[in-house]
Each structure stands twice: as C-alpha cells, then as structure tokens.
Amino acid sequence: MKSTAMYKSEYSSSERAAPASSPSAPMVCVDGVNKWFGQDQVLRNISVEIKDGEFFSLLGPSGCGKTTLMRIIAGFEFPTEGTILIDQRSVVDVPASRRPTNMVFQHFALFPHMSIEKNIAFGLEMKRVPRSTIATKVKEALALVRLEKFSGRKIDELSGGQKQRVAIARALVNEPKVLLLDEPLGALDLQLRLQMQGELARIQRATGSTFIFVTHDQAEAMTMSDRIAVMDRGEILQVGTPRDIYERPTHRFVAEFIGHSNFFEGVVCAGASINEYCPVSYDGVELVGRGAVPLEVGTKVAVMVRYENLQLLAAPENGRLVGNVTNKIFTGPTVRTDVLLANGKTVTSEQPVSSDAVNLGVGQAVGIHWTAANAVVLNS
Amino acid sequence: MQPLSEQFELDTRAGKPAKDPSATIWRWLQYAMVALAFGFLYLPIVLLVILSFNESHSFGLPLKGFTLQWYREVLGNAAIMTSLKNSLILGCASAAISVALALTLALGFRANFPFKGLLLQTVLVPIVVPGVVGGVVLLLAFGYVGLPFGLFSTVLIAHVNWCLPFAFLTLYPRLHNFDKGIEEAARDLGASSATVFWRIILPIVRPGIIATLLFSFTLSFDEFVRTIFVIGSESTLPIRLWAIVTEQAQPFLPALGVLTMFITIFISLVGQAIAAKSATRNGSMKSQ
C-alpha cells in the first residue's frame, strides 16, 4: 500500500488530471483506516487522497472492501482504526446525517410513498431551506437529470433508469461536497448503463462536485474516472489514472483484473529499479520489460504483455519466441490469434483486422514479438 | 346448440389423450370432499342465520315463519347494548395499546442483540398458553397486586396481554423486512432518527399498522375465556351472551349471535383487504 503511493508519482500522466480548483488540499483524505467485522479484517491500512472535483473510482471484485470503504466515508460504518477528513475536517465523529456527503444507493432506495419532487426535496427540507428555494432547486435538479417531463409521477411508475436519475437528483440537490455512488448502474441493463455512464460524466462536469464511484466493472471505471483505486481483499493495490493502471500495473492482480494479458513467468537476470528495462530469463530466452517495482537478481517475476501488444510475425526467426497458430477468432474490429509455444504455453495476440495478423493460417509457424516499452515486469 | 356441443366433444378428444375413467372419479371425489368440508364449516352458521329469522318462540326448529322481531328485541335490550358499548370501547382501547406496544417491540427487535431468537419466541408464548390457564394466572396476579376488578383495569390488561403477541407477530415481519437502504438514504439526507421514524418508516408501514389495529380489535371483541375470570360485575358482549345462554335460553339468541358475528367478520375483512394492499406495496418496494 505504502509502496503504491510511492510509485504512482513515477507514472502519473496528466492527461485526465482532475480540474482541481485548489490543487493543494485534498477533498477527501482517508488515513490509515482498518476495519474489522468480528474476526474478519475487511479493510487493511487504507490511505488515499481524493482531489476536489475529481471523478474517483473504487474498483475491485465483490468482497474487496470497496463498499465498506464508501460506507465509512458516508458515515454508515465506522473505522476500527484510522481517520477520515472531508474538506480538511475530521468526520469520524460526525453522523451520516451531518456529513457533507450524499449517497446514491445501489438499489436507489427511493421513498416509495413520496412523489419524485418530494423525494428530491427531502434533503433540503431536512436543512430547513425555505419552501420557495426548495421548489426552484428541485426544478433545477429535475432538469439536471432530464426528468422535467416526469414531475408529479409516483416512484413506482418509473423505469429503472428514471429511478436512478431521481436518486442522483435527490443526492445532488443538496450540493454535497462529495457524492458517493455505490454501484449505481449495477441494477440497470447494458444499454441503459452505457447511457447513464455518459449522463453521470456530464452531470459531474456540470456540477464540478467530487464523485466517488464504487464499481466492480473495470470498463465502467476506465471510461468514467479521473483516477481509479484498484482494491483486492481489503487493500488498495494501486491508485492512478486509467492509463497508468492499464499500461503500468504495479501488481499482477491489477494486470489480470483490467484488460487481457499474457504473462511469461521467469527470473530476473539483472536488478533494475522502477521503470528501468529489466532482463528476465524465460525458458532459456531473455525477455525484456520495464520494472513495475524495484527488482533484484533472482526474483521470480512475470513479464506482462497485453494481447494487443503481442505481435505475430510471419517470419519466425524475427520473433523473441516461436510458436504455431492454433486458433483464430474474428471479433469484428480485431482478430484474436492463439499461438502454442514449444514449451506448451498458449499465448494470445489481438490485432486490428487491418493488420497482417489476419492473413496467418492455423498451423503456421510464427515469431512472437513485442516492443520492450510495452512489456511490464511484475512480481509473480 | 347441437353442432356446438359436437364441436366441443370433438375438440376435447383431439386435444387430449383417451379419457381415463379413474381420473374422472378421482376428480369428482375431490369436489365432494371440498363440498363436505364447506358444509361442515358453514352449516352451523347458515342454521344460526335461518333461526334468527324464525318466528317460533321456543328457541330452535321447526321453522314457523319469517320475522325481524328478535333483531328488534336485541337492539332494544339495554343490558345487551351496554355490553356492546363496553366491548367496542374495550376493543378500541386494547387495539390501540397493543399496537403501540407491539410497534415499539418490533422496532426494538430490528437491532441485533444476544439471545434475540430466544426472546422473539418468548414474546409469542402467551399465544399457546391455554385460555383457562391464562385466565387463572391473571386472576391470581390481580389478586396478588390487589387491583380491583373493572373493565378498564383488569379486563383491559387481560385483553392487551392477549392481543399484544398477535399484534407483534403481524407487525414484526413488516419492520424486519423494511429496506434498510431507504432508512439510510433518509439519514444520509439529514434526517434524525425521530424524523426517519415519523416521515419514512411510519408512513410506509401504515397499512400494516391499520390492519393490525383491526385484527387486535376483533381479538379483544371476541375474547371470552380470560375475560370471564377477571370481569367482576360488569359485562362485555361475549360475557353477556354467555349469561343469556346459561340463565334463560331466549328466542333472540340466534339474532344476537348473527349480529356479533357480523361485526367481527366485517372488521376482519376490512383488515385483510388493507393487509393485502400493503403486501403488494411491499412487494413492489422489493422489486426495485
């Protein structure tokens, strides 16, 4: 965890950097949080800083602790150890009802006995905002989520996507410093989910609030986030921009969880520091990749090459490794080719249909090549 | 008509395999059993209704003619009307107190605490205690405390004691299955615990509460065994009915029985209708 924080600066690309209004102070600061449920430790030494105006995702498989972390930020759970700062104020002792956060729940959790407007107005009524102001703000919130035409409807007359919009409006109308979204698109079908992804990104740009988004869907996290924290078994493994995490994973778990990769398991031939080229002995051949972590001679590692970075050459002698094509799948925009190596390992290459790979035939001997800059050496 | 029935015959033969005679017999046997069960359940009630309109002055068969005299006598009988009034007031009071207590209890049981399952069962034990035993226990207890007999002392306590477990039994699932997310959403939006209760939980479970009120009312309205132990000199409608039966078999008894039954059935039906409505509402909440 600590090491992760150290590496991330090495790779951080500024392409999708958040439009931070005050770059100095983070909006949310989670510091050394541990959480136990009885005998189970569900969060392990979590420390992370989330910038003002950032779209930040907590990504991980179910049971990795991402929802618990979000519920701790919201005030529904309490950390066993550690502190939470929101806008530089500790909120550990502040109940959920008085935190400057609002949440969009996985199953919407709308009030079934109230109209859309009453649902949205609830938070403002709790704050004793004057009635006329509430009416205006509710109207604005309805416009923000494009539900103006549905005003006055009952909750159970709405579709899943519309309910989701009401849930978002109900949270955002309070102008929270941080909006927490707990797998808000999980209950929607694929088409609607893609549409709502775009909507959420638009709403986030329009309001400029900080969004913390919990999801197990890597594609969702990649397309929407400024930065992503990848979690597994209660730990944050890596924090970075989608590009950092995709191109420079620091853990094998991260590499496997996001995208599709080949892993060549070998031993480090010569030590290398982060981001330096590191020679790895694989089955008698020397492979090269960039070190994701500092590597010492003799360490067992895996050289990671993404499917799309693995090139197949019609002239086998030009490749780093040699194999025979066993399978070819046309996916539409790409062709996916499986190649069996002499040592029995199967590797996969995914290339655009416009490339030469499309001409390779099953059974053909091919050379396997990649650019060393596109290979990452990870602890295996 | 003829061609139609022929057509029908033809269709059934075309659509189904050859008829199995034993299956037909079996089906008729099932119909007969259902009819028998219904007769067993409702014949006494039908008989009671018929007798209540019978002109005979001796209580019972044979039938002599139609009259509304017995209903007039029941409604004109001051003692019966006083008992009815007592029962109605007692029913309302018992229902209100039982539901308030049951609601508090059900809210308490939403939290997790040690021996929760055991305590839950304990709340329900009074339901299976035989009525006579329950009556004796109450009598002893009131005697020990020195509480004077009376409608709004001993009888009310006995009725609440009887209704409370049932009220809890019907309310608990509604609160237990209440979507915690909805409550958390309200808290997240700034509601205090009291506001969550008054503005979120209570309105959503209101139909269940009303149904439980009516159910508790009918329980109290019908209660006899426990009541007779602790009633003292006053009287509820079931106690009055019992007294009339034992003291002087009056010809208006069937009419009194029908009227009593009508009140109970009517309130039960209203309660069930409300409960069914709230059940579908809960269902739609879940499907979100």
Side-chain angles (χ1 to χ4, degrees):
Chain A
M1 185 28 241
K2 274 192 189 105
S3 53
T4 310
M6 206 163 80
Y7 305 138
K8 98 189 168 202
S9 57
E10 296 271 335
Y11 296 127
S12 65
S13 77
S14 55
E15 286 177 35
R16 294 197 49 158
S21 51
S22 57
S24 48
M27 177 51 79
V28 178
C29 178
V30 178
D31 190 15
V33 164
N34 283 295
K35 174 69 181 176
W36 295 78
F37 282 131
Q39 295 295 306
D40 299 325
Q41 187 169 12
V42 291
L43 291 177
R44 295 166 196 273
N45 194 26
I46 300 284
S47 294
V48 65
E49 292 188 347
I50 297 159
K51 294 173 208 152
D52 187 15
E54 193 170 30
F55 196 122
F56 190 90
S57 290
L58 298 171
L59 173 66
S62 63
C64 72
K66 57 190 190 296
T67 297
T68 305
L69 178 56
M70 161 164 292
R71 289 174 59 81
I72 284 177
I73 297 171
F76 295 124
E77 304 282 355
F78 299 94
T80 313
E81 280 172 342
T83 56
I84 309 281
L85 301 174
I86 297 176
D87 206 14
Q88 293 162 284
R89 270 187 56 223
S90 173
V91 292
V92 174
D93 300 326
V94 181
S97 56
R98 276 191 241 126
R99 290 197 186 187
T101 56
N102 282 115
M103 188 150 163
V104 177
F105 290 78
Q106 191 172 5
H107 299 290
F108 318 143
L110 298 175
F111 307 131
H113 58 300
M114 298 183 190
S115 67
I116 295 178
E117 279 90 343
K118 279 280 170 195
N119 264 275
I120 297 174
F122 191 83
L124 298 173
E125 283 176 26
M126 291 302 112
K127 282 189 202 156
R128 306 196 191 289
V129 173
R131 267 182 196 286
S132 54
T133 318
I134 291 181
T136 326
K137 289 201 169 190
V138 168
K139 231 175 224 163
E140 284 169 11
L142 277 171
L144 181 69
V145 296
R146 300 184 172 152
L147 275 181
E148 305 99 315
K149 281 185 228 152
F150 295 88
S151 69
R153 292 259 185 114
K154 283 185 181 164
I155 293 305
D156 47 8
E157 292 167 1
L158 300 178
S159 71
Q162 289 161 351
K163 283 179 187 168
Q164 189 56 270
R165 285 161 198 264
V166 176
I168 292 167
R170 183 179 67 173
L172 276 177
V173 76
N174 305 291
E175 293 163 25
K177 285 179 178 161
V178 182
L179 184 72
L180 304 165
L181 302 110
D182 183 11
E183 306 224 12
L185 310 182
L188 305 179
D189 61 45
L190 182 66
Q191 207 55 40
L192 203 55
R193 205 147 81 203
L194 294 175
Q195 193 192 332
M196 284 305 292
Q197 284 179 12
E199 283 288 279
L200 272 179
R202 177 186 66 80
I203 290 166
Q204 201 252 346
R205 280 194 303 274
T207 58
S209 347
T210 308
F211 278 33
I212 301 181
F213 186 83
V214 163
T215 182
H216 64 268
D217 183 329
Q218 48 116 347
E220 206 165 271
M222 294 287 281
T223 53
M224 302 176 73
S225 317
D226 294 314
R227 283 194 307 149
I228 299 171
V230 183
M231 294 184 70
D232 182 41
R233 291 182 218 169
E235 276 184 281
I236 291 183
L237 298 179
Q238 186 172 5
V239 180
T241 65
R243 198 167 170 196
D244 287 341
I245 281 172
Y246 189 77
E247 293 182 349
R248 300 284 164 215
T250 55
H251 292 72
R252 177 142 182 190
F253 177 86
V254 176
E256 286 178 344
F257 194 71
I258 295 159
H260 299 287
S261 306
N262 298 291
F263 295 93
F264 300 95
E265 270 109 9
V267 176
V268 174
C269 301
S273 57
I274 302 159
N275 219 10
E276 262 183 7
Y277 288 105
C278 172
V280 174
S281 166
Y282 170 78
D283 211 30
V285 185
E286 195 177 278
L287 305 180
V288 180
R290 297 216 271 190
V293 289
L295 297 158
E296 283 176 29
V297 180
T299 315
K300 283 188 176 176
V301 291
V303 180
M304 179 204 91
V305 184
R306 295 273 181 211
Y307 282 9
E308 67 274 18
N309 290 330
L310 196 93
Q311 292 159 333
L312 301 178
L313 310 173
E317 64 276 11
N318 292 341
R320 294 171 190 270
L321 296 162
V322 179
N324 288 296
V325 174
T326 56
N327 196 16
K328 231 172 85 176
I329 299 165
F330 177 73
T331 70
T334 66
V335 59
R336 194 178 281 193
T337 314
D338 291 339
V339 175
L340 183 66
L341 305 185
N343 64 4
K345 182 178 175 70
T346 297
V347 297
T348 306
S349 164
E350 189 165 356
Q351 297 296 327
V353 285
S354 55
S355 72
D356 292 340
V358 78
N359 299 321
L360 298 170
V362 173
Q364 190 177 341
V366 291
I368 293 163
H369 182 77
W370 61 83
T371 311
N374 288 334
V376 178
V377 183
L378 300 157
N379 279 312
S380 73
Chain B
M1 289 316 276
Q2 186 60 26
L4 194 72
S5 72
E6 267 175 23
Q7 182 74 32
F8 180 72
E9 281 292 315
L10 226 137
D11 273 349
T12 48
R13 255 183 261 130
K16 286 179 189 169
K19 272 189 183 172
D20 176 0
S22 76
T24 315
I25 293 169
W26 183 239
R27 201 166 64 239
W28 281 107
L29 216 63
Q30 283 179 321
Y31 291 155
M33 291 305 289
V34 172
L36 202 68
F38 265 87
F40 186 74
L41 284 172
Y42 284 102
L43 221 55
I45 294 174
V46 173
L47 194 66
L48 186 75
V49 174
I50 292 171
L51 286 177
S52 73
F53 296 108
N54 188 12
E55 221 174 352
S56 162
H57 278 259
S58 66
F59 157 52
L61 293 170
L63 298 176
K64 281 194 174 162
F66 180 85
T67 178
L68 286 174
Q69 185 192 347
W70 312 129
Y71 285 93
R72 275 196 295 273
E73 275 191 29
V74 168
L75 296 175
N77 185 317
I80 291 175
M81 285 301 110
T82 308
S83 309
L84 175 65
K85 194 188 81 193
N86 286 346
S87 272
L88 290 175
I89 295 171
L90 200 61
C92 292
S94 307
I97 296 169
S98 305
V99 168
L101 289 176
L103 191 62
T104 319
L105 207 54
L107 283 170
F109 267 102
R110 299 178 77 204
N112 277 318
F113 47 83
F115 306 111
K116 181 176 168 178
L118 188 72
L119 271 170
L120 201 70
Q121 296 303 317
T122 316
V123 176
L124 306 179
V125 164
I127 291 176
V128 294
V129 170
V132 177
V133 177
V136 171
V137 167
L138 286 166
L139 184 65
L140 290 175
F142 292 144
Y144 184 78
V145 187
L147 193 67
F149 289 138
L151 275 182
F152 295 99
S153 55
T154 52
V155 178
L156 183 61
I157 293 173
H159 281 206
V160 169
N161 180 274
W162 170 236
C163 298
L164 177 58
F166 289 99
F168 176 73
L169 202 61
T170 51
L171 275 179
Y172 175 67
R174 289 163 196 279
L175 285 159
H176 184 72
N177 299 333
F178 192 92
D179 183 353
K180 278 239 158 72
I182 290 179
E183 212 180 315
E184 282 182 349
R187 278 203 282 145
D188 186 63
L189 293 165
S192 63
S193 299
T195 312
V196 171
F197 178 73
W198 289 111
R199 291 211 38 195
I200 306 294
I201 296 178
L202 205 59
I204 293 175
V205 299
R206 183 178 291 139
I209 291 174
I210 295 171
T212 310
L213 275 171
L214 295 173
F215 179 48
S216 303
F217 175 88
T218 60
L219 281 174
S220 161
F221 191 77
D222 290 345
E223 216 307 309
F224 172 71
V225 183
R226 288 160 186 78
T227 314
I228 200 158
F229 280 91
V230 298
I231 186 79
S233 59
E234 283 161 294
S235 155
T236 63
L237 194 58
I239 301 290
R240 175 65 59 194
L241 221 158
W242 170 251
I244 293 168
V245 171
T246 50
E247 287 160 17
Q248 68 232 83
Q250 294 276 12
F252 62 73
L253 251 176
L256 178 55
V258 169
L259 283 174
T260 309
M261 199 168 61
F262 178 77
I263 295 173
T264 311
I265 290 175
F266 176 75
I267 289 170
S268 295
L269 283 178
V270 173
Q272 272 178 23
I274 292 169
K277 193 180 144 210
S278 79
T280 55
R281 188 172 177 179
N282 277 338
S284 72
M285 262 164 63
K286 283 269 167 53
S287 69
Q288 285 184 6

